[in-house]
Amino acid sequence: MVKTKLMILLVCAVSWPLTTWGAGDIFSDANGTIMNGANVSDNTFSDNTVSNNTVSDNTVSNNTVSDNTVSTEITDSTKITDSTKITDIKQQLATLSSSQQRIDFLQQQLPQSAQWPIEQQGQLLHLLAIEQEVNSDLVAAINSYSHAIKLLTPHPLSKELVKSYLERSFILYLQTNDTQIYCPDREVAITLARQLGQVDILAEVLAQSAYCHNKPSDFGEGLKRLNEALAIAQQHQLGLSRQAMIFNATAAIYRDNGLNRKAYEYFNKAYDFWEQAQDKQDMFNMLHNMVGESIKLALWGENKAHLAQMQQLVEQSPEFADFDFFYQFNTGISCWAQGLFQEGIDHFLRALEVQDTTQEKYFVDATHAWLALSYFRQQQPDKAFKYAEIFSGSATYDGHSNELKLMIAAIIDYANGSSNLGMNKLLDTIDLQKKHFANIINNDVVNSSLDHNLTVAEFNNRLLEKQLAINKLNLEAEIDSQKITNLSMAIAVLIALVLLVVVIFLWQSRRQFKRRSQTDYLTGIANRRHTFEQGKKRFYQAKKHHRSLAVIMFDIDNFKAINDHYGHDIGDLAIKACGRRARNWLKKNDILGRIGGEEFLIILPDTEQAQAVEIAERLRTSIESNQFVFNDVKMNFTISVAVAMLTPQTHELVDIIKQADLGLYQAKDNGRNQVVVVDH
């Protein structure tokens, strides 16, 4: 009983609104691409050391880069003399058409670059890292950036050093989706960018570093950096892409603090800028973000439109191989949010079919989690457990939301028979929901004070009317405290009521849930599985106590002709009529079940052959002699019936059923509308 209750509670729990821990928390965008970092922790990392992944001067993720070399393959193509400057290399790079050609060309320069000034060696490695990143060779790129940082740090400050920190941060974000890992590089980059004094780079670093200040506690710092970036962009008239990047960062911070309406507006603005610049990749990324926000805001018309735009970009942009994966993933999440679980499963499975097209394993792992929850909603616990196991063992597991991990853990506990552990995890999920509601209250305070604490930054009069920035939140503490206390009490009462409703539901629905799992949906009699389960019990009792047992199998004659002539709805009504008529001739301990389309099975314990034949003949006669009226359609039809008996030579129930099936074929061959008794 406990396990059954847990399964029902899980089914209820995984249908809670996505606005609390669903689409936005799973695939929020943080850096202008598909993923988002979590909150910044209080842990401090050195410039080159990142959590469990050490990015030292020469080592990144167990890939060692020596002081003066990067693992390369040198070809015999044209080489550049030792006296050639980086400027000349850049000019020659511009003549090469593909990223791989540029990588090969740069790698050819590495051996002779050992004789160059250290600063130029670092610039060469920076150029190589850029091309490796474009070519999606992220491991090689991060090694090259790390080596470039080592070489460039002791020398006069350069934009290559700042960009190396920023780009290495971006790759770490792609690999981990963890702010504790990728944000330390951004903090170093912003310090260096201020010293460098190049406004375009400073605006970019300010916008990227704002993602690392998305918690309510440092919300103001993130917006302060974005305001500074906006002021720079306004003063120096930076390009469309830079403006779009700032709006994207603004939207991400609003979203991370629960201001979803504002976030949706700014993602739309960022999309408009990138559309003007015809940047399809960033257009696709913004559509990804807008899908998540439209789900939270229940803007289903907009949600459908954004998915259609994503699909159009998939078709128009074959050069971006991972577009289809994220389109399928987003569509699956949208289906889930609307309760279309089977459709969501179909899209998640299609996403897994093309998972090799993306390096963002975070979303591949998230797809496994959503499949587990979707299959559980579809009452397929075995498949749910399969994908829950894959997700729980994934490399990105720690980076996902606590609510999602608790729900997956509860599914695994259920599958392993640990019902109490699973229930405790569900209660932990409810506690997290309570904290989330408290955060919403805090964000309501933010919303109520926005009009009093926003500054307007004019930003390119042709394109923008205004830009809002929060400088501080200054509401009276006593009023706020009282409001929060009252709302918290209301939420506590609400949660208690929800739990009470869940308990009542579990208590009332267990029997109904069990009955539905045993009943044929069309006729209301036993389904095939339940018929065979109960039939086996009657069979073994009869064998053990040497009692008689009869099996009657019957089906509707010429049923295909009924469907073809009258339609499947009339055919369904004929099947239901047979089931009702057969009930009239059965005892309490007899079993009647539908085992196929128009095929029925009756199991009669303690029934001799003569009695069984009499019941079969009465059933056949009652069908033959009756004119049925279905939806104003009058019709007559007949059935063919076979009777088989338990004998001392019978070992299993299926043996009797096979005999009855053969008898049914004999009745058909003999002209139908008759009872055939199978002699063993």
Side-chain angles (χ1 to χ4, degrees), residues 148-430:
I149 288 170
K150 176 188 175 183
L151 294 177
L152 293 171
T153 297
H155 296 274
L157 183 58
S158 65
K159 66 178 182 180
E160 286 84 2
L161 178 60
V162 179
K163 294 286 286 186
S164 291
Y165 272 110
L166 196 60
E167 292 299 323
R168 185 173 73 176
S169 166
F170 181 74
I171 297 175
L172 290 171
Y173 143 73
L174 289 178
Q175 292 178 330
T176 66
N177 193 35
D178 189 344
T179 53
Q180 298 180 31
I181 294 177
Y182 69 77
C183 281
D185 273 359
R186 297 189 183 186
E187 293 304 309
V188 174
I190 197 170
T191 300
L192 297 176
R194 292 190 187 281
Q195 297 173 14
L196 184 65
Q198 295 188 17
V199 293
D200 185 73
I201 293 178
L202 179 58
E204 179 180 2
V205 176
L206 283 167
Q208 295 296 327
S209 68
Y211 294 108
C212 300
H213 297 275
N214 58 353
K215 294 169 61 177
S217 59
D218 57 358
F219 185 26
E221 176 61 26
L223 289 175
K224 178 181 177 182
R225 296 188 181 193
L226 290 171
N227 287 336
E228 184 179 354
L230 284 170
I232 293 172
Q234 177 190 8
Q235 181 180 354
H236 298 279
Q237 298 182 346
L238 302 183
L240 292 173
S241 293
R242 186 69 70 237
Q243 299 171 32
M245 180 184 64
I246 295 171
F247 278 125
N248 178 34
T250 304
I253 290 185
Y254 276 125
R255 179 204 54 218
D256 293 341
N257 285 272
L259 304 175
N260 302 109
R261 177 64 64 176
K262 285 289 184 183
Y264 185 73
E265 293 173 7
Y266 279 101
F267 282 133
N268 265 293
K269 292 179 180 180
Y271 175 86
D272 291 339
F273 278 120
W274 270 311
E275 187 178 35
Q276 293 178 53
Q278 279 301 292
D279 186 335
K280 291 184 179 179
Q281 186 170 30
D282 284 313
M283 288 167 60
F284 189 90
N285 295 334
M286 290 307 96
L287 289 170
H288 167 89
N289 290 329
M290 288 188 283
V291 167
E293 296 309 296
S294 62
I295 288 174
K296 293 179 182 179
L297 297 169
L299 302 175
W300 299 118
E302 290 83 348
N303 179 269
K304 183 178 180 180
H306 296 326
L307 289 172
Q309 289 172 296
M310 292 182 81
Q311 186 177 25
Q312 186 176 19
L313 284 175
V314 171
E315 297 169 355
Q316 295 175 350
S317 310
E319 66 272 25
F320 298 111
D322 63 345
F323 274 15
D324 188 40
F325 169 86
F326 285 103
Y327 166 71
Q328 299 296 345
F329 179 83
N330 276 273
T331 307
I333 295 292
S334 296
C335 290
W336 164 276
Q338 298 173 75
L340 306 173
F341 302 115
Q342 185 56 56
E343 291 184 32
I345 288 171
D346 294 340
H347 285 287
F348 289 136
L349 290 175
R350 288 183 203 135
L352 291 182
E353 289 174 1
V354 294
Q355 62 178 292
D356 292 337
T357 62
T358 180
Q359 296 193 44
E360 298 191 36
K361 300 306 180 186
Y362 176 86
F363 288 97
V364 175
D365 297 334
T367 304
H368 291 131
W370 284 101
L371 268 172
L373 297 176
S374 300
Y375 275 125
F376 210 93
R377 282 307 308 264
Q378 289 296 91
Q379 299 182 17
Q380 299 183 57
D382 291 339
K383 291 184 178 179
F385 175 72
K386 169 188 171 183
Y387 287 103
E389 284 278 89
I390 295 173
F391 171 73
S392 64
S394 66
T396 67
Y397 176 81
D398 291 336
H400 294 269
S401 69
N402 290 330
E403 291 90 340
L404 181 63
K405 289 187 286 188
L406 282 171
M407 294 304 301
I408 294 299
I411 290 176
I412 293 174
D413 286 340
Y414 169 81
N416 291 330
S418 302
S419 301
N420 290 332
L421 289 175
M423 283 189 172
N424 284 330
K425 288 184 174 66
L426 293 178
L427 294 175
D428 290 341
T429 305
I430 293 173

